[in-house]
Amino acid sequence: MSQIKIYARKATINQHRDGLSTAIHDALIEALSYPPEKKFQRFIALDAADFIYPADRSDAYTIIEISMFVGRSKEAKKSLVKHLFENIRERTGIAPHDIEITIFETPQENWGVRGQCGDDLMLNYKVSV
């Protein structure tokens, strides 16, 4: 299970929403063997006054936060980050310098999904990749 939040300026979200969505989901599939039908994304479009970042970033600066079950290997997470940078550049033109990614991992029992505790779910994919 992964929940994705994408933060950027409104203009960036409006221009690149579809490309970002595809790039991020494809990276999850490529790096974590994630099921194609499991797509959970939230785009948070911010006014310029509400999105403060260093001067060496462009107006395309984008933050991606990924919440997921604990259990992926270090190599799998590094592969995910690499695929994210590559896919986003290919599909949107946003440079890796303008992207920041954070992965938050929590135990399955800390999730509630479809009326169940996360550790009671019957998943159709592996978490330990």
Side-chain angles (χ1 to χ4, degrees):
M1 178 99 198
S2 295
Q3 292 283 344
I4 316 296
K5 293 181 200 170
I6 302 99
Y7 299 88
R9 291 177 65 154
K10 282 182 184 178
T12 300
I13 297 279
N14 290 338
Q15 180 179 359
H16 297 294
R17 183 187 328 269
D18 291 341
L20 284 165
S21 178
T22 300
I24 292 166
H25 194 59
D26 286 352
L28 287 165
I29 292 168
E30 293 160 356
L32 305 182
S33 301
Y34 207 64
E37 71 277 6
K38 300 287 184 185
K39 191 173 190 180
F40 302 97
Q41 301 174 345
R42 292 180 303 285
F43 286 86
I44 297 100
L46 300 163
D47 290 325
D50 295 325
F51 196 42
I52 300 166
Y53 47 85
D56 68 339
R57 305 305 197 280
S58 79
D59 288 345
Y61 178 64
T62 303
I63 298 171
I64 301 167
E65 294 181 351
I66 303 168
S67 297
M68 64 179 156
F69 294 156
V70 131
R72 275 70 178 209
S73 68
K74 178 180 177 180
E75 293 78 19
K77 291 180 277 187
K78 289 180 86 162
S79 176
L80 174 60
V81 169
K82 179 183 171 216
H83 282 296
L84 285 166
F85 285 133
E86 290 172 358
N87 291 358
I88 292 169
R89 173 176 233 141
E90 287 173 10
R91 288 174 180 85
T92 69
I94 299 173
H97 184 76
D98 280 325
I99 302 165
E100 290 193 18
I101 302 159
T102 307
I103 298 172
F104 299 94
E105 296 179 287
T106 54
Q108 286 180 254
E109 67 267 16
N110 288 3
W111 289 65
V113 181
R114 297 187 315 264
Q116 298 178 40
C117 289
D119 58 342
D120 293 330
L121 289 172
M122 297 299 294
L123 300 174
N124 63 346
Y125 59 94
K126 286 183 168 184
V127 173
S128 57
V129 294

